[in-house]
Amino acid sequence: MIISQLEKINKFTRRELTADEVYIFSVILCDNEIDRDCERFSDTALEELKKLFVGKTGIFDHDAKSSKQSARIFDTELVTDSSRTTKNGEVYKYLKGHVYMVRTDDNRSLISEIDGGIKKEVSISCTASERHCSVCGCDRTKNNCTHMRGKVYNGKLCHTVLSGITDAYEWSFVAVPAQVNAGVTKRFSDGNEVHTDGLQQGAADSAENELLCEIRRLAFVSGGRAEADFALQKAAAMNAGQLAEMKKEYERKNNRFGIQLQSCTGCAEASDSDFCMK
């Protein structure tokens, strides 16, 4: 382990820990790719998150109970991968967090699951004060526009660009992250980081992206965040025809229960997918 890493870790501890007492790994927290919610972070937002995530705790499923705390970020770095471009045609960038855990008998199985690739996907929780339409630039926290997320305009997928990050709360191990590429990279070993895992490619075309956004929206209305995450997990193995049928099924289900959906872009704090039940 590099000494400077241990020095950074010990800034967060009550006593100085030794190299044998800590387990270190790294996670991809977020990137500038358009995610499953048809949102993406601006370059400025990634720079802001880089500073804000130092010292933030890692939990499970965004459960804020202190008993769910498992790890802490001691350092971050913003990485540019010039060999890749995003769906929006930009050079791919991602925010990496370097994380430590104190080795105990209780977390031995968790460490094994991280090493074995079982605990891998992560999701972050933060606040963005600006949410701009990618088509017209309208800040949706202040005004509405006619462009719909998930639809294609002039060959470009409409999405929301997040910026003006005011706070970063935590990061969580989850089953289905909103950001496709977010997750654990290879852990540190013998003072050097092993090459990172290959990132998943956002292979869905714009039509499938639109269907996925709509499915998640309808599933969220039907059963909340848990239902939305479950729906996306099922949808990952479906083709376009099956996705269309899944969307129709959620529409029928919501209609049976008389659920109506209303835009929530005017709310002071936007929800997961910018909508609320009325």
Side-chain angles (χ1 to χ4, degrees):
M1 180 185 298
I2 301 174
I3 299 299
S4 62
Q5 294 174 353
L6 199 55
E7 290 175 347
K8 290 177 181 179
I9 289 170
N10 282 325
K11 290 180 180 179
F12 301 99
T13 63
R14 291 187 62 189
R15 67 171 178 83
E16 289 195 358
L17 300 177
T18 66
D20 291 337
E21 291 179 286
V22 296
Y23 170 78
I24 299 177
F25 61 102
S26 58
V27 294
I28 294 175
L29 295 165
C30 55
D31 56 28
N32 64 339
E33 182 60 275
I34 301 171
D35 65 22
R36 290 186 171 104
D37 293 329
C38 291
E39 297 178 336
R40 70 174 173 87
F41 289 108
S42 67
D43 287 356
T44 301
L46 291 176
E47 290 284 358
E48 293 165 340
L49 288 167
K50 178 180 182 293
K51 299 175 183 177
L52 290 169
F53 263 108
V54 175
K56 292 302 186 290
T57 189
I59 56 179
F60 292 89
D61 297 316
H62 299 293
D63 188 336
K65 295 185 182 70
S66 60
S67 61
K68 297 294 184 180
Q69 290 178 295
S70 59
R72 192 173 299 278
I73 293 174
F74 67 89
D75 197 12
T76 57
E77 63 175 310
L78 191 55
V79 181
T80 299
D81 184 353
S82 57
S83 67
R84 292 183 58 184
T85 55
T86 67
K87 299 185 187 78
N88 199 48
E90 298 178 328
V91 175
Y92 180 69
K93 299 178 180 179
Y94 62 92
L95 177 61
K96 180 186 289 188
H98 300 298
V99 184
Y100 81 94
M101 296 169 55
V102 179
R103 293 181 183 271
T104 66
D105 290 337
D106 290 338
N107 66 19
R108 188 177 301 166
S109 60
L110 174 58
I111 291 173
S112 295
E113 289 177 335
I114 292 171
D115 283 344
I118 304 302
K119 288 291 189 297
K120 179 177 177 65
E121 291 78 17
V122 303
S123 176
I124 67 171
S125 177
C126 65
T127 300
S129 63
E130 300 174 21
R131 305 165 68 86
H132 295 275
C133 171
S134 65
V135 178
C136 67
C138 170
D139 186 351
R140 288 169 167 165
T141 62
K142 300 175 182 177
N143 300 294
N144 204 354
C145 67
T146 59
H147 302 112
M148 297 181 64
R149 283 191 309 176
K151 289 191 174 295
V152 177
Y153 297 88
N154 297 321
K156 291 278 191 176
L157 182 69
C158 178
H159 58 278
T160 298
V161 183
L162 305 176
S163 58
I165 306 300
T166 57
D167 204 352
Y169 303 110
E170 43 79 15
W171 57 278
S172 293
F173 284 109
V174 295
V176 183
Q179 293 215 319
V180 175
N181 295 321
V184 176
T185 65
K186 293 294 188 182
R187 69 181 179 89
F188 285 88
S189 177
D190 298 327
N192 296 300
E193 188 179 5
V194 184
H195 292 297
T196 58
D197 291 333
L199 300 176
Q200 297 177 1
Q201 297 293 327
D205 58 22
S206 59
E208 289 182 343
N209 269 330
E210 183 177 347
L211 281 170
L212 286 170
C213 288
E214 187 67 5
I215 287 169
R216 189 180 192 282
R217 183 179 71 95
L218 293 167
F220 184 91
V221 174
S222 176
R225 177 66 181 266
E227 179 67 22
D229 288 347
F230 176 70
L232 283 180
Q233 193 170 21
K234 288 179 60 179
M238 293 182 178
N239 58 35
Q242 292 169 324
L243 290 174
E245 184 55 40
M246 187 180 188
K247 172 178 172 288
K248 290 178 183 178
E249 180 56 35
Y250 272 113
E251 288 174 336
R252 288 192 289 266
K253 182 178 179 180
N254 289 343
N255 286 336
R256 283 200 302 272
F257 289 100
I259 297 174
Q260 295 182 338
L261 196 65
Q262 179 172 319
S263 171
C264 193
T265 54
C267 291
E269 292 186 12
S271 67
D272 263 354
S273 301
D274 282 356
F275 54 81
C276 59
M277 287 182 285
K278 299 292 185 182

